[in-house]
Amino acid sequence: MRACTKTIVVAILAMASFTALAQTTGWISAPEHPPVKIRMMSTGEQSDDGSTVQTILDVELDGDWKTYWRSPGEGGIPPSWDWSDSTNIESVNWHWPIPKYYEQLGVMTLGYKKHVSFPVTLTLKDNTQPAVFRASLSFPSCTNICVLTDYDIELPIDTQTLQLDEEAMFLFNQGMSQSPREANRTSVNGLFWDKSKQQLVTQLTSKKGWDKPQVLIDGQEVIDDFFAQPAIYITGNTLTAVYDVSNWLGEVDLTSRRVSITVSDTNLAEEMIAPVGSTPITYQESNNGLGVMLGFALIGGLILNIMPCVLPVLGMKLNSIIHNQGASNRHIRISFLASAMGVITSFALLAFGMTVLKMGGNAIGWGIQFQNVWFIAFMLIITLLFSINLLGLVEFRLPSGLNTWIATKGDDSHSGHFVQGMFATLLATPCSAPFLGTAVAYALGASYQELWAIFIALGIGMSAPWLIFATFPNLTKLLPKPGAWMFKVKLIFGLMMFATSLWLASLMTPFIGKFSTILMSLSIVISVLIWIGRKLGRKVLIPIVATTTLVFGAALIIGSVTADNWATPIVDDLAWQKLDSKQIPQLVEQGKTVFVDVTAEWCITCKANKIGVILQNPVYNHLQQEDIVLMKGDWTTPSESVTQYLQSNGRFGVPFNIVYGPSYKSGIPLPIILDSDTVVQTLDAAR
């Protein structure tokens, strides 16, 4: 009897154990992708009539691996499953906890890291019969690369034997508390589609006010549109979220479409559906964004001091600093203030020019003055005058007033310092630097007041070193003492300025032709060499002048024939096509990866990217692969199509590089200053 009883107890325990085990799939992982593991569990909870049961899809991700929300953002795909092989399952309701924003390689996505529990409600066809939830789960996970893994899920459901599972219940309730429910605390004031700005304005009211809100937009009627992370403005209980909206197919029109609005805040997760209207919404913008951009402008302006475009001017500044060592603190302070004011004045003039162009509806952008042949010619003349002054070659006869003006520009006078500052700014405009592009893009798309504020901040940032010397003039005493070495340094920087003149001459090619550019460059070389000969008073230099001119001319002609720019010793033989934004979606659909390079001959940073990264391995080899299509947008001279393409990507200057591919149809923008690893990783990710 005891043996029989013992057998029955063991059987009951075994059945209970089997029932408990049947309520979970256990952890499932793919051998080829161990960073991700999943399990599906039944909580044991069911409706009163037994028609619905609660389950949880539990996911753990190692390290920086992440997965996506139901609307993944600018890149990626959401998790999905095919449960058509299930038995006695009528419907499946997947609940989505509120996601977070993640940025990778310039692409903004929405998703989850580390751990996420998705509550899932199963509805049975017949609550008196057992059911089996059988599904093939297609689950994406990404870091710098993305992996799509399939998992087979099989979870038996028997409402007659279900038992409560404490862990599953905790995970389910946790997931539901983070998932949006029907709104009762928030309401929609209105949605307005601004077609001209391609922006959606959403205005909400909360009964209890706002703390740290997040507002997400998605929906079946806008499934192909990307809503960037919004600018949020709060006035009392009213919240306004402004979204930049894009679509890789082209211009967006959200008029009359219904969208889902998901709102989260402290102890709040609600969802509502509303149509997009045509009535404009007024709101008060805060200055938080402007404050950040002013900081970017200050840093970007400071970085311009070490960019190669400004380097020749540093020679003149160095010369003036050394000469100032014996001067009074008052003289030193005023000199450096004059130089700083020259920089700031130039940026103010740039802001004025941008304002005039913007008011006239013209295309605006950083460095667009280099698209004007008269501006280049003016800069060419100025750099020649500065180089002649540094080399001590001003001996030709001019009217006395003009000769005096030329001889003093770049010297130790206050007006000379002011002109140096202005000149340094003009030479800096072909360069893009970290933080600079972001600040300028914000300024050119903002109000006139913000545009001026950003450009003045750029000027203050660039003039910061000279403002420091003006504040602490005793710092000049730490510099080397004047001596014979100064003549050599002055000569070196004079030659560098002379090289800048030749570079500016090369920019004339699109306007006057290659042959005319070569003749102009040769005439500059011959003139300067003859002046050097006269200055040194040595007739023996005439043969040297002739030989040097001949050699330089031959190199100039050969370089102009074998390369797109005579200053570039590396031949660009990549198969570039003219930029055509309309073709990009078609090429991506064909499985191609498109690398876009928007550049200009006058852009120094563009040249550095080209010579140092694009035309060097491993990037060079990657760009030659069969599935890579190369497109180049040339902004050397005004181009409406290139300007529109830049502005459609929120850019107002060059360089601009972006990669499109099957995995990132909206494109992955690259940083302003390229490096090989980033370019290769981006190409692989887009593919």
Side-chain angles (χ1 to χ4, degrees), residues 555-599:
L556 191 63
I557 294 171
I558 293 171
S560 66
V561 173
T562 58
D564 58 42
N565 187 304
W566 57 266
T568 305
I570 300 176
V571 178
D572 183 356
D573 58 356
L574 293 171
W576 295 102
Q577 301 179 17
K578 185 178 180 181
L579 175 61
D580 185 349
S581 59
K582 295 180 180 179
Q583 284 190 2
I584 294 175
Q586 302 172 13
L587 292 168
V588 171
E589 283 298 315
Q590 297 169 12
K592 300 290 187 180
T593 300
V594 183
F595 179 86
V596 176
D597 180 28
V598 185
T599 183

Side-chain angles (χ1 to χ4, degrees), residues 174-479:
Q174 183 184 58
M176 286 301 295
S177 69
Q178 297 170 355
S179 300
R181 300 187 180 186
E182 186 177 351
N184 59 22
R185 187 174 123 182
T186 56
S187 58
V188 180
N189 293 1
L191 292 96
F192 168 63
W193 174 241
D194 190 331
K195 188 175 182 180
S196 62
K197 293 183 179 179
Q198 293 284 283
Q199 288 183 333
L200 176 67
V201 182
T202 303
Q203 196 165 80
L204 310 171
T205 297
S206 171
K207 297 177 182 178
K208 298 183 179 180
W210 304 98
D211 183 18
K212 298 178 181 178
Q214 176 176 277
V215 185
L216 305 174
I217 300 290
D218 70 328
Q220 290 299 315
E221 296 184 19
V222 292
I223 196 169
D224 293 324
D225 301 314
F226 169 63
F227 296 81
Q229 191 169 4
I232 293 181
Y233 310 103
I234 299 174
T235 304
N237 288 3
T238 301
L239 176 151
T240 304
V242 182
Y243 302 82
D244 290 325
V245 187
S246 60
N247 188 309
W248 64 277
L249 290 174
E251 192 174 79
V252 180
D253 187 1
L254 301 184
T255 306
S256 300
R257 295 190 186 183
R258 292 175 65 82
V259 299
S260 175
I261 308 168
T262 303
V263 187
S264 62
D265 203 345
T266 304
N267 301 321
L268 170 69
E270 296 186 346
E271 193 170 56
M272 59 214 88
I273 296 177
V276 177
S278 56
T279 304
I281 295 174
T282 58
Y283 58 94
Q284 179 66 42
E285 294 187 15
S286 68
N287 291 323
N288 293 337
L290 177 60
V292 173
M293 290 304 152
L294 287 173
F296 280 10
L298 290 170
I299 298 172
L302 181 62
I303 293 175
L304 280 177
N305 285 283
I306 60 174
M307 298 300 284
C309 332
V310 187
L311 191 58
V313 188
L314 297 182
M316 294 184 293
K317 292 186 176 182
L318 177 63
N319 184 60
S320 64
I321 292 173
I322 300 298
H323 278 296
N324 275 330
Q325 283 183 322
S328 65
N329 284 350
R330 180 178 181 277
H331 178 82
I332 294 173
R333 182 173 286 114
I334 294 176
S335 296
F336 282 111
L337 284 175
S339 185
M341 287 306 300
V343 173
I344 296 172
T345 300
S346 271
F347 275 100
L349 291 174
L350 286 173
F352 175 77
M354 295 295 180
T355 301
V356 172
L357 289 173
K358 192 174 181 179
M359 293 178 66
N362 296 294
I364 56 177
W366 180 252
I368 60 171
Q369 65 272 25
F370 279 84
Q371 296 177 349
N372 187 298
V373 64
W374 298 110
F375 177 81
I376 297 175
F378 170 75
M379 291 295 292
L380 174 60
I381 293 171
I382 295 298
T383 53
L384 276 174
L385 292 176
F386 270 99
S387 61
I388 289 169
N389 176 262
L390 286 170
L391 295 171
L393 304 176
V394 184
E395 294 183 357
F396 48 90
R397 294 186 178 182
L398 291 173
S400 58
L402 180 59
N403 197 55
T404 302
W405 183 87
I406 294 172
T408 58
K409 297 307 105 179
D411 64 6
D412 194 32
S413 66
H414 300 326
S415 61
H417 282 285
F418 183 85
V419 171
Q420 286 176 13
M422 294 190 67
F423 184 53
T425 304
L426 294 177
L427 279 180
T429 50
C431 290
S432 290
F435 299 100
L436 174 71
T438 304
V440 171
Y442 178 90
L444 298 182
S447 65
Y448 296 115
Q449 295 88 342
E450 289 175 320
L451 185 150
W452 275 82
I454 293 293
F455 272 76
I456 296 301
L458 284 168
I460 294 173
M462 187 173 176
S463 61
W466 317 116
L467 291 174
I468 291 174
F469 275 104
T471 306
F472 306 102
N474 287 332
L475 290 176
T476 58
K477 296 178 181 179
L478 301 177
L479 297 171

Side-chain angles (χ1 to χ4, degrees), residues 105 144 588 592-594 659-665 667-668 681-687:
L105 296 174
N144 290 333
V588 171
K592 300 290 187 180
T593 300
V594 183
V659 181
Y660 302 86
S663 295
Y664 289 94
K665 296 179 180 180
I668 307 175
Q681 290 175 9
T682 304
L683 287 169
D684 291 340
R687 299 163 87 173

Side-chain angles (χ1 to χ4, degrees), residues 91-113:
S91 63
V92 177
N93 187 9
W94 183 322
H95 304 276
W96 297 86
I98 299 295
K100 293 182 179 180
Y101 281 99
Y102 296 102
E103 184 177 359
Q104 184 73 32
L105 296 174
V107 177
M108 191 66 72
T109 59
L110 287 161
Y112 317 91
K113 279 188 176 182

Side-chain angles (χ1 to χ4, degrees), residues 23-179:
Q23 291 187 198
T24 177
T25 62
W27 287 110
I28 304 172
S29 62
E32 67 274 14
H33 190 50
V36 178
K37 60 180 182 178
I38 67 168
R39 62 176 173 173
M40 192 165 183
M41 310 166 68
S42 171
T43 66
E45 299 171 286
Q46 53 185 300
S47 60
D48 292 338
D49 61 3
S51 62
T52 61
V53 296
Q54 308 293 10
T55 64
I56 191 81
L57 178 64
D58 198 30
V59 181
E60 289 190 356
L61 303 105
D62 291 345
D64 286 331
W65 288 92
K66 65 177 181 294
T67 192
Y68 297 107
W69 189 50
R70 67 188 185 200
S71 295
E74 197 172 6
I77 58 173
S80 62
W81 53 23
D82 178 4
W83 53 273
S84 58
D85 289 338
S86 298
T87 302
N88 195 25
I89 301 293
E90 182 175 341
S91 63
V92 177
N93 187 9
W94 183 322
H95 304 276
W96 297 86
I98 299 295
K100 293 182 179 180
Y101 281 99
Y102 296 102
E103 184 177 359
Q104 184 73 32
L105 296 174
V107 177
M108 191 66 72
T109 59
L110 287 161
Y112 317 91
K113 279 188 176 182
K114 304 297 184 184
H115 178 255
V116 59
S117 297
F118 299 102
V120 179
T121 301
L122 303 180
T123 301
L124 308 184
K125 294 179 180 178
D126 185 349
N127 60 351
T128 64
Q129 297 296 319
V132 178
F133 180 74
R134 190 178 291 110
S136 175
L137 174 65
S138 182
F139 195 84
S141 54
C142 294
T143 53
N144 290 333
I145 61 172
C146 288
V147 178
L148 189 61
T149 310
D150 291 332
Y151 300 90
D152 292 327
I153 296 175
E154 185 168 323
L155 182 68
I157 302 291
D158 188 346
T159 58
Q160 306 302 317
T161 60
L162 279 178
Q163 296 182 0
L164 295 178
D165 185 312
E166 185 176 348
E167 182 183 12
M169 290 173 62
F170 172 79
L171 292 173
F172 182 89
N173 291 326
Q174 183 184 58
M176 286 301 295
S177 69
Q178 297 170 355
S179 300

